Amino acid sequence: MAKGKTTVYFCQSCGYESAKWMGQCPGCREWNTFVEEQMDKKSVRPSGKRREAPSEPQPLSAICLSDEKRLSTDIKELDRVLGGGIVKGSLILVGGDPGIGKSTLLLQVCRNLSQKGCAILYISGEESLQQIKLRADRIGEFSDSLKLLCETNLDEIKEVIDRRRPQIVVVDSIQTMYQEEIASAPGSVSQVRESTGVFLQIAKGMGITVFVVGHVTKEGVVAGPRVLEHMVDTVLYFEGDRHESYRILRGVKNRFGSTNEIGVFEMQETGLSEVENPSEYMLSGKPAGASGSVVACSMEGTRPILLEIQALVCHSYFNNPRRTATGTDYNRVSLLMAVLEKRLGMQLSDCDAYVNIAGGIRMNEPAIDLGIVLAIISSKTDCIIEDNTICFGEVGLSGEVRGVSMAEQRVQEARKLGFQKCILPQVCKEALSHMDGIRLIGVRNVKEAWEAIRQPFSAGT
Ligand code: TYD
Ligand code: MG
């Protein structure tokens, strides 16, 4: 081995560094993700330092915020996830599975900003200029302030940026960029980190906003975007089912705004279009009068989203009953089924159970517990929950239904969409004043919740 070079092993999934090869990564518990990389000792330097920053310490009062004005992308769903628009000089990572629509979204951002006259440089390491042109033709009109560059060599890219000084740079994708001094292949952890470091310097040093695309990789030798999450200001992930047309953009980290906000898009012939009322959209395929289906409400950041939870409980012919949870946490579903078994005496241990959040969206908020519970009860007892009913609430281990935050927004969203009955935690009901047009049914535990869905039959209404 040449002097000054060391061999290290990196987990391509989370970036864990190790001196020796390991089968399982201690960081993220993935198997077979370690890949050998050569590190040149000279090239390893702490990236992300502001070269042009003054080394003199400054008092807070001397720091001027006038430059921190946000630039709107004219895509409301994206602006919301970004916390109100693009902050100058920020480094934004857009991650997601290949083919989900990252390049399309960023090209649409380029279209809107170029029409406003912003100087933009779109660097593509994946597609040729002709391919980008084909895509752009589907998306709309572009002004000439958008410049395209097909290049993967970082030194060349740095030189172009230095010369042209654009306001916005889009890098598609970070896994194709490479620096010559680093021995390992493009897409390896050291290349990806080093490239991000270069773009971080460009962003902070020159005040250029940089969008970086990162593919999520299930396996293989390409480092995933998780290895650079800590270096960037904002991390957005594109989620969605390949078979569904809509896509969810989720803010995972944001130094300039709240996280957990989501933006909802639909992939169409002419690119991504915004979905202004996601609840309506999510509920569009809900079957009427079917057991095992209920509408629940989850808060995504500041926005309530109504979604359909489906459960199918049937007799199991296996020793270990099958359980699946699609779109929500598997362990949570098992726990809730154990609560039902113990607190309601419902025989579930010999049943297969499949729980699904319809539409391929992922929701992990505890407030959907009550929805999961009611969907399971409904399927098990074949009791149909009325279509005009919605529920939310967290379920505890003793079967109690606990209060959740922002109950008023949830009820209002349900009322807006025409729901007439809302099953909610008793504490939330007490805190809410009377609302016209929707009946609030407060429940203290899962038993009362069960009563609430049985009521239409027992009361004969
Ligand atoms: P793309 O943005 O290339 O994905 P990524 O950059 O995340 O890999 O999206 C590709 C998919 O989007 C592809 O399957 C085609 C589809 N698409 C449309 O349906 N309509 C469009 O207008 C465009 C541009 C793409
Ligand atoms: Mg792409």
Side-chain angles (χ1 to χ4, degrees):
M1 196 171 31
K3 216 177 168 193
K5 288 213 167 158
T6 46
T7 303
V8 285
Y9 294 84
F10 279 112
C11 166
Q12 304 294 303
S13 164
C14 70
Y16 191 96
E17 189 178 333
S18 163
K20 62 180 194 336
W21 188 87
M22 281 185 278
Q24 187 186 26
C25 171
C28 64
R29 309 245 141 238
E30 294 281 338
W31 288 90
N32 276 334
T33 52
F34 276 90
V35 169
E36 178 183 336
E37 290 182 20
Q38 298 287 330
M39 295 273 281
D40 193 344
K41 277 185 182 153
K42 278 186 291 176
S43 79
V44 182
R45 58 166 189 269
S47 34
K49 287 262 169 72
R50 284 181 59 159
R51 290 277 165 81
E52 292 164 27
S55 41
E56 204 45 44
Q58 303 262 334
L60 274 176
S61 56
I63 301 168
C64 174
L65 282 183
S66 57
D67 283 344
E68 298 295 311
K69 233 179 79 203
R70 286 172 189 261
L71 180 63
S72 166
T73 59
D74 288 343
I75 301 177
K76 265 192 267 152
E77 297 289 306
L78 176 62
D79 280 349
R80 177 184 314 106
V81 182
L82 287 172
I86 301 172
V87 176
K88 186 170 174 242
S90 60
L91 183 59
I92 301 162
L93 169 69
V94 180
D97 290 334
I100 196 112
K102 302 177 294 294
S103 310
T104 308
L105 178 72
L106 290 179
L107 206 57
Q108 281 178 262
V109 170
C110 291
R111 176 197 61 195
N112 292 355
L113 294 177
S114 77
Q115 282 168 356
K116 286 185 182 180
C118 288
I120 308 170
L121 180 66
Y122 187 103
I123 306 163
S124 179
E126 299 195 336
E127 290 163 313
S128 67
L129 292 174
Q130 287 75 13
Q131 280 172 315
I132 301 173
K133 166 90 175 143
L134 278 177
R135 187 200 300 272
D137 282 345
R138 296 170 74 168
I139 286 174
E141 292 283 308
F142 286 75
S143 103
D144 279 347
S145 65
L146 168 71
K147 299 280 188 294
L148 304 172
L149 177 71
C150 282
E151 183 58 69
T152 51
N153 185 334
L154 274 171
D155 295 326
E156 302 276 331
I157 290 171
K158 261 197 294 198
E159 206 264 319
V160 173
I161 292 176
D162 241 350
R163 191 154 34 90
R164 296 207 153 248
R165 295 273 168 163
Q167 285 164 276
I168 298 192
V169 171
V170 176
V171 182
D172 189 3
S173 67
I174 192 73
Q175 283 121 336
T176 55
M177 302 293 146
Y178 75 97
Q179 204 155 30
E180 268 167 18
E181 302 100 77
I182 300 179
S184 45
S188 60
V189 172
S190 22
Q191 284 283 10
V192 165
R193 278 200 184 142
E194 197 58 34
S195 314
T196 313
V198 168
F199 288 112
L200 191 63
Q201 278 166 23
I202 289 171
K204 305 294 165 189
M206 301 187 201
I208 297 173
T209 304
V210 183
F211 283 93
V212 167
V213 170
H215 292 296
V216 173
T217 49
K218 297 277 179 289
E219 55 199 24
V221 292
V222 176
R226 275 182 60 196
V227 303
L228 45 102
E229 274 180 0
H230 64 283
M231 298 170 79
V232 302
D233 295 314
T234 304
V235 179
L236 311 179
Y237 274 107
F238 236 136
E239 301 172 2
D241 199 329
R242 262 170 180 272
H243 311 293
E244 301 274 349
S245 61
Y246 68 83
R247 307 275 185 264
I248 310 239
L249 188 67
R250 197 182 286 277
V252 176
K253 164 182 173 182
N254 194 351
R255 288 194 181 136
F256 310 110
S258 78
T259 47
N260 296 325
E261 286 288 355
I262 65 167
V264 185
F265 297 90
E266 189 179 359
M267 182 60 96
Q268 290 178 339
E269 282 296 296
T270 51
L272 290 156
S273 69
E274 299 174 58
V275 175
E276 303 221 325
N277 194 337
S279 301
E280 213 166 278
Y281 194 77
M282 300 283 162
L283 297 179
S284 55
K286 185 181 179 316
S291 70
S293 159
V294 65
V295 179
C297 183
S298 175
M299 292 300 293
E300 288 297 321
T302 52
R303 193 154 63 151
I305 291 195
L306 303 190
L307 42 103
E308 184 199 350
I309 300 181
Q310 296 187 323
L312 180 66
V313 180
C314 54
H315 182 74
S316 177
Y317 294 94
F318 301 101
N319 285 339
N320 283 333
R322 278 177 65 91
R323 303 272 156 91
T324 65
T326 314
T328 187
D329 185 22
Y330 172 82
N331 292 323
R332 193 82 200 154
V333 170
S334 302
L335 182 148
L336 293 171
M337 291 184 71
V339 169
L340 290 182
E341 181 125 23
K342 180 87 178 163
R343 306 294 164 194
L344 294 183
M346 199 169 264
Q347 182 75 29
L348 290 169
S349 53
D350 58 354
C351 292
D352 290 341
Y354 309 92
V355 173
N356 176 28
I357 306 232
I361 189 171
R362 262 205 87 75
M363 291 282 168
N364 282 325
E365 208 207 349
I368 64 166
D369 284 357
L370 193 59
I372 298 175
V373 160
L374 289 181
I376 292 172
I377 295 178
S378 163
S379 177
K380 168 77 183 168
T381 62
D382 265 335
C383 151
I384 296 167
I385 300 174
E386 286 176 295
D387 289 334
N388 62 5
T389 307
I390 173 196
C391 62
F392 62 86
E394 183 180 345
V395 174
L397 288 187
S398 8
E400 80 276 18
V401 176
R402 292 160 168 261
V404 294
S405 61
M406 298 199 252
E408 191 170 344
Q409 282 95 321
R410 294 178 208 252
V411 175
Q412 270 167 358
E413 175 79 2
R415 194 172 59 166
K416 202 170 85 191
L417 287 171
F419 286 86
Q420 285 156 13
K421 243 162 80 175
C422 177
I423 303 174
L424 73 173
Q426 178 68 23
V427 281
C428 293
K429 184 189 171 186
E430 282 161 13
L432 283 178
S433 51
H434 173 74
M435 287 216 188
D436 284 331
I438 188 160
R439 200 174 128 217
L440 302 178
I441 305 170
V443 292
R444 273 178 284 263
N445 49 45
V446 284
K447 191 145 189 282
E448 289 184 6
W450 189 10
E451 296 289 322
I453 57 166
R454 273 200 298 196
Q455 244 173 25
F457 304 98
S458 57
T461 48

